[in-house]
Amino acid sequence: MVEKAKFIWMDGKFIPWDEAQVHIMTHSLHYGLGVFEGIRAYQCADGRTAIFRLREHIRRLYDSAHVMQMDIPYPQAEIEHVCAEILKVNGQKEAYLRPLAFVGDGVMGLHPQNNPIRVAIISWIWGAYLGDEGLKKGIRAKISSFARHHVNVMMTKAKATGNYINSILAKREATALGYDEAILLDTDGYVAEASGENIFLARDGVIKTPPLTAVLPGITRDCLITLARDFGIPVVEEIFSRDELYLADEIFMTGTAAEVTPVREVDGRRIGPGKPGPIAKKLQAAFFEVVKGQDPRYQHWLTYI
Ligand code: PPE
């Protein structure tokens, strides 16, 4: 259960958590058109709170809305400002921020041209998405029987609410079979991403991740590519098949919620020695230093509150 915070920002103002309700005729509830973000704020080593890559997340929110032809009725700067404010009004030193834009009520049917675009920002405490043990020891994943969206069926560059039905189907299937996470292939059969994370493999000292075709352009993915290259580890963005995963020395997944989570098994095959490898461990440690403000090279990724 999500623990309630004091306030939620909705349609321009802060209101008590329990009052953030919508009408059943809310268009997005019926047809699944909405766009959202997930952003983490961390308490830094010096005690201050910093939102990680706020500008990039809000930019992606507006990009998603643009793709979906939803006109968010606030300037980007205001949404960024509210993300900082909500942490203050809720007294949170660390939190997960969830901006959500959706189509309100008005007409029904598939042409909701004049229905209002509504916006909410929620902040709650979210621990390790794939478990503390998963972060430390690695998780077990399964290739899903569900394919990731074809690029002309859903708009995969958009973080759209409806896109996530596919993720839920995959996640349910994998967890029902006793795995921690699902890995989805694209409609050509190549590895795409996990239900809520981008995916990377390492073999012989080279990191590989699928190109940005059918996958979400992950902001954590971008961080990991940058950090790896700074360490001098080569990174290629290239398509690859599921058996390359089986043969990897290391695999890890990245996402705002999942942070950097190693994978120790795929489809019953042990990955490398079956525990997090040196590259995943090094990058995970570097990532946590960056988000906590301990790496001077990446201060520009932090918005201090
Ligand atoms: N792919 C998908 C499908 C995805 O949902 C996410 C984030 C990513 C990649 C990584 O993107 P980024 O957060 O920018 O590095 N998934 C979000 C939602 C998780 C949820 O269950 O809700 C997240 O991590 O916030």
Side-chain angles (χ1 to χ4, degrees):
M1 282 279 279
V2 171
E3 199 186 314
K4 292 178 190 178
K6 287 189 206 119
F7 297 103
I8 286 174
W9 186 88
M10 205 163 168
D11 302 321
K13 54 180 193 286
F14 287 105
I15 55 174
W17 178 282
D18 285 329
E19 286 172 26
Q21 308 281 352
V22 295
H23 196 274
I24 197 65
M25 289 295 275
T26 297
H27 193 276
S28 291
L29 273 179
H30 297 248
Y31 306 112
L33 177 64
V35 296
F36 69 106
E37 269 307 316
I39 313 170
R40 275 192 193 270
Y42 290 91
Q43 182 162 22
C44 295
D46 66 6
R48 288 187 292 168
T49 292
I51 305 178
F52 190 58
R53 303 199 72 174
L54 175 63
R55 183 152 307 141
E56 293 89 333
H57 279 284
I58 301 305
R59 181 177 185 207
R60 190 173 64 186
L61 179 74
Y62 281 74
D63 283 351
S64 300
H66 180 70
V67 168
M68 294 301 167
Q69 297 184 294
M70 292 168 65
D71 204 0
I72 297 179
Y74 305 95
Q76 286 191 36
E78 185 172 348
I79 298 300
E80 284 177 25
H81 176 70
V82 175
C83 285
E85 283 302 300
I86 198 168
L87 295 168
K88 292 187 204 157
V89 301
N90 284 331
Q92 290 158 328
K93 287 271 186 194
E94 289 205 326
Y96 181 87
L97 297 164
R98 169 56 55 82
L100 169 69
F102 59 101
V103 185
D105 55 317
V107 299
M108 270 300 163
L110 304 182
H111 192 46
Q113 208 167 355
N114 296 317
N115 291 23
I117 300 303
R118 303 183 55 187
V119 183
I121 301 176
I122 312 136
S123 67
W124 72 84
I125 312 293
W126 212 355
Y129 186 66
L130 295 165
D132 286 317
E133 193 167 309
L135 268 186
K136 282 194 203 96
K137 297 193 175 151
I139 59 159
R140 298 173 57 244
K142 164 118 192 70
I143 303 289
S144 183
S145 73
F146 297 97
R148 199 65 180 141
H149 304 292
H150 184 278
V151 290
N152 280 328
V153 172
M154 296 298 248
M155 300 295 100
T156 58
K157 299 281 180 300
K159 195 166 169 67
T161 55
N163 285 358
Y164 282 80
I165 295 173
N166 174 251
S167 291
I168 291 172
L169 291 170
K171 181 85 180 187
R172 280 197 175 145
E173 177 188 60
T175 52
L177 292 169
Y179 292 87
D180 304 304
E181 185 53 297
I183 298 168
L184 293 96
L185 307 178
D186 66 20
T187 46
D188 291 322
Y190 296 101
V191 173
E193 62 185 336
S195 73
E197 302 90 12
N198 291 111
I199 190 163
F200 290 79
L201 66 77
R203 185 170 159 111
D204 296 336
V206 177
I207 294 177
K208 213 183 247 196
T209 192
L212 295 179
T213 48
V215 307
L216 188 76
I219 291 165
T220 323
R221 174 187 182 277
D222 176 72
C223 296
L224 268 283
I225 292 174
T226 307
L227 291 175
R229 288 184 177 150
D230 283 352
F231 279 124
I233 307 169
V235 183
V236 293
E237 296 178 61
E238 234 173 68
I239 57 168
F240 56 86
S241 52
R242 65 195 285 177
D243 45 6
E244 269 201 57
L245 286 177
Y246 301 158
L247 297 172
D249 299 329
E250 301 184 35
I251 299 175
F252 53 92
M253 294 176 177
T254 64
T256 300
E259 299 167 311
V260 182
T261 301
V263 179
R264 63 184 160 90
E265 184 193 311
V266 177
D267 292 347
R269 285 139 178 106
R270 198 184 59 236
I271 302 307
K275 55 183 194 200
I279 291 178
K281 280 188 0 202
K282 187 171 181 167
L283 291 174
Q284 188 193 56
F287 174 79
F288 282 119
E289 279 183 11
V290 168
V291 298
K292 294 191 173 164
Q294 290 164 297
D295 190 331
R297 291 172 303 169
Y298 299 106
Q299 289 295 327
H300 58 283
W301 283 347
L302 306 183
T303 302
Y304 287 96
I305 303 303

